[in-house]
Amino acid sequence: MNFQKIKQIMLIMLKWIFICGLIGIFSGTASALFLVSLEFVTQIRIENTWIIWLLPLGGLLIGYLYYISDSKISKGNNLLLEEYNKPEKQIPFLMAPLVLLGTLITHLFGGSAGREGTAVQMGGAIADLCTSIFKLNHTERRTLIILGISAGFASVFGTPLAGAVFALEIVFFSKINFKSIILSFLTAYIAYFTVEFWEIKHTHYSIPVIPDINFTALFWVVTASILFGFAALLFSRSTHFWGKLFSKNIKYPPLRPFIGGTVLAIVIYFIGTTKYIGLGVPMIVDAFSIQNAPYDFLLKILFTGFTLGAGFKGGEVTPLFFVGAALGSALSVMIPLPIALLAGMGFVAVFSGATHTPIACTVMGMELFGINCGVYIGIACITAYFFSGSVGIYKSQIVKGPKSILYQNIRKKGLKYL
């Protein structure tokens, strides 16, 4: 290898390290700003519950802003997946501030949504700016999208390993080269440490008791995980159902979140509790030590599916955490496993099933709860993954591998709803 070749390789390496630094720092900073702002608007809502009555107006504003902007932006995470699978046009940078504002409005006035979608979309929009700046080709642009997803996920949840793996797994490792894998981890850690630099604290969870592994324990783990898979299936189908219902019956897009917000405000008023709106983090934390009612997870599915289907903005992942932790906590009355373990298993297993990412969710579980529960977490994520149906929360995600083959065979036997 001559000197010129070595020089060329070194320059390419430095260029990509620089790109990773840019994406990690700017995405991490955007996530830090988002997390601080989200905490601020949530506190305002908690201290002024009357503000929920303004949810229809907040919905109308979100709907109108998206209506007058680039129509592609409304696709959210699905746009990132579409551009990865078939690169065409650069992701509009407007997606970043628009999804940030839309999510904050959703949470301020009482919608039920998460935060992952916002961070990932901001990361993707920031990353794709490098396409024109560095004049990258389609193959290199796929790497950028992976880096944006990795940075957004790692920074918003404080899980760099899971963020890097999630970005790779969400595209089913297709068209990925070794360079993308290394850069995904590098970007995830830069984004993670950027949030740490801004002194943003993430929620901590604990599973204090891990039982010995035996056939009885494994039987109950698999049993619970099958139910987690069904919960993921219900969540995905619910979100898509409400989205189709609003799109079919309300032709003017800004009216969808306005009408949806009106219904939500009335329902919240009559049920007399706000525990199913917003992120629901206090409920998630409590699920690790306090038994949930058996209907808590169902109501969170209903509220979140309706909120997002109506056109409000935010992610699905934190509500998935809520659904899984609440279901696991409720199952502790019947399943002889520690409540914290069941809640922790559900926390990541429902997420695994709804996003088709069992590896990333297993890694996330070990990052959040400790490596000691890795076997239980891994079994839960894989089992839920197979029992969660063929359609996840991301319509544009391409599902391949053994799960795809399994559900192709199931559909041939007439069970098309799976």
Side-chain angles (χ1 to χ4, degrees):
M1 187 179 293
N2 57 41
F3 176 75
Q4 288 298 326
K5 189 69 173 177
I6 295 174
K7 181 180 177 180
Q8 184 181 10
I9 292 173
M10 292 297 295
L11 288 174
I12 292 172
M13 288 176 59
L14 288 173
K15 179 184 78 171
W16 278 102
I17 291 172
F18 182 65
I19 289 172
C20 288
L22 286 177
I23 295 172
I25 291 171
F26 282 103
S27 295
T29 300
S31 289
L33 172 64
F34 171 51
L35 290 172
V36 170
S37 303
L38 187 58
E39 179 65 28
F40 177 71
V41 299
T42 299
Q43 198 59 40
I44 291 176
R45 190 194 69 236
I46 291 172
E47 295 174 359
N48 303 275
T49 53
W50 60 266
I51 206 171
I52 293 173
W53 289 110
L54 299 179
L55 188 57
L57 296 179
L60 184 63
L61 177 59
I62 293 171
Y64 183 71
L65 289 174
Y66 272 82
Y67 181 65
I68 62 174
S69 66
D70 190 324
S71 60
K72 295 197 306 179
I73 295 177
S74 62
K75 294 181 179 180
N77 287 1
N78 286 302
L79 177 59
L80 303 183
L81 297 175
E82 288 176 10
E83 286 298 323
Y84 179 86
N85 293 316
K86 190 178 179 182
E88 292 182 354
K89 294 183 179 180
Q90 184 172 320
I91 295 166
F93 182 71
L94 181 61
M95 171 182 271
L98 206 54
V99 73
L100 172 62
L101 179 61
T103 304
L104 293 177
I105 292 173
T106 297
H107 284 276
L108 173 63
F109 296 120
S112 174
R115 53 194 173 182
E116 142 276 339
T118 306
V120 166
Q121 288 169 50
M122 289 194 299
I126 290 169
D128 213 15
L129 279 176
C130 295
T131 298
S132 55
I133 294 173
F134 294 94
K135 303 186 186 308
L136 304 179
N137 59 37
H138 284 337
T139 301
E140 293 172 319
R141 187 162 172 254
R142 288 192 176 100
T143 299
L144 284 183
I145 292 173
I146 288 174
L147 302 187
I149 295 172
S150 173
F153 193 99
S155 57
V156 82
F157 290 123
T159 52
L161 287 175
V165 177
F166 178 80
L168 299 168
E169 194 175 14
I170 198 72
V171 296
F172 195 75
F173 303 98
S174 61
K175 304 168 186 171
I176 290 176
N177 51 41
F178 183 71
K179 178 182 73 175
S180 298
I181 298 173
I182 299 297
L183 298 179
S184 180
F185 280 90
L186 176 60
T187 307
Y189 271 97
I190 293 173
Y192 167 74
F193 284 117
T194 299
V195 173
E196 291 288 298
F197 172 80
W198 290 114
E199 298 183 350
I200 305 299
K201 303 300 180 184
H202 297 284
T203 307
H204 293 283
Y205 305 93
S206 173
I207 301 179
V209 179
I210 310 294
D212 293 333
I213 298 174
N214 52 52
F215 286 112
T216 301
L218 291 178
F219 167 79
W220 288 115
V221 169
V222 172
T223 300
S225 301
I226 291 172
L227 297 177
F228 295 146
F230 290 155
L233 186 153
L234 182 60
F235 186 100
S236 299
R237 296 292 182 177
S238 171
T239 303
H240 298 324
F241 168 79
W242 290 113
K244 289 179 181 177
L245 187 68
F246 276 96
S247 298
K248 181 180 179 181
N249 294 289
I250 305 173
K251 299 304 179 183
Y252 186 56
L255 279 180
R256 295 168 193 165
F258 176 79
I259 294 172
T262 302
V263 173
L264 281 169
I266 294 171
V267 171
I268 294 167
Y269 173 77
F270 278 106
I271 67 172
T273 180
T274 58
K275 66 181 183 180
Y276 303 114
I277 64 175
L279 290 173
V281 171
M283 284 283 289
I284 297 173
V285 173
D286 288 345
F288 282 74
S289 57
I290 302 171
Q291 189 179 100
N292 275 87
Y295 52 80
D296 282 339
F297 81 98
L298 289 171
L299 288 175
K300 187 61 175 178
I301 289 175
L302 179 61
F303 271 84
T304 305
F306 190 87
T307 297
L308 298 178
F312 286 92
K313 299 302 169 182
E316 299 94 343
V317 173
T318 306
L320 285 168
F321 294 161
F322 183 119
V323 170
L327 176 55
S329 177
L331 289 174
S332 65
V333 71
M334 298 179 293
I335 294 180
L337 290 174
I339 185 172
L341 178 61
L342 283 167
M345 284 164 45
F347 184 106
V348 288
V350 175
F351 174 30
S352 168
T355 58
H356 311 300
T357 56
I359 301 173
C361 293
T362 299
V363 173
M364 185 179 204
M366 290 189 286
E367 279 190 286
L368 290 174
F369 312 129
I371 198 168
N372 292 338
C373 60
V375 173
Y376 290 101
I377 294 295
I379 293 172
C381 289
I382 293 171
T383 304
Y385 164 73
F386 279 107
F387 280 87
S388 60
S390 59
V391 178
I393 55 176
Y394 306 129
K395 292 181 180 179
S396 298
Q397 183 181 13
I398 296 175
V399 182
K400 297 181 180 179
K403 181 172 184 176
S404 175
I405 296 171
L406 171 65
Y407 282 96
Q408 285 176 12
N409 293 328
I410 290 175
R411 284 193 291 272
K412 287 178 183 177
K413 295 180 181 179
L415 297 176
K416 296 183 179 180
Y417 60 91
L418 292 175

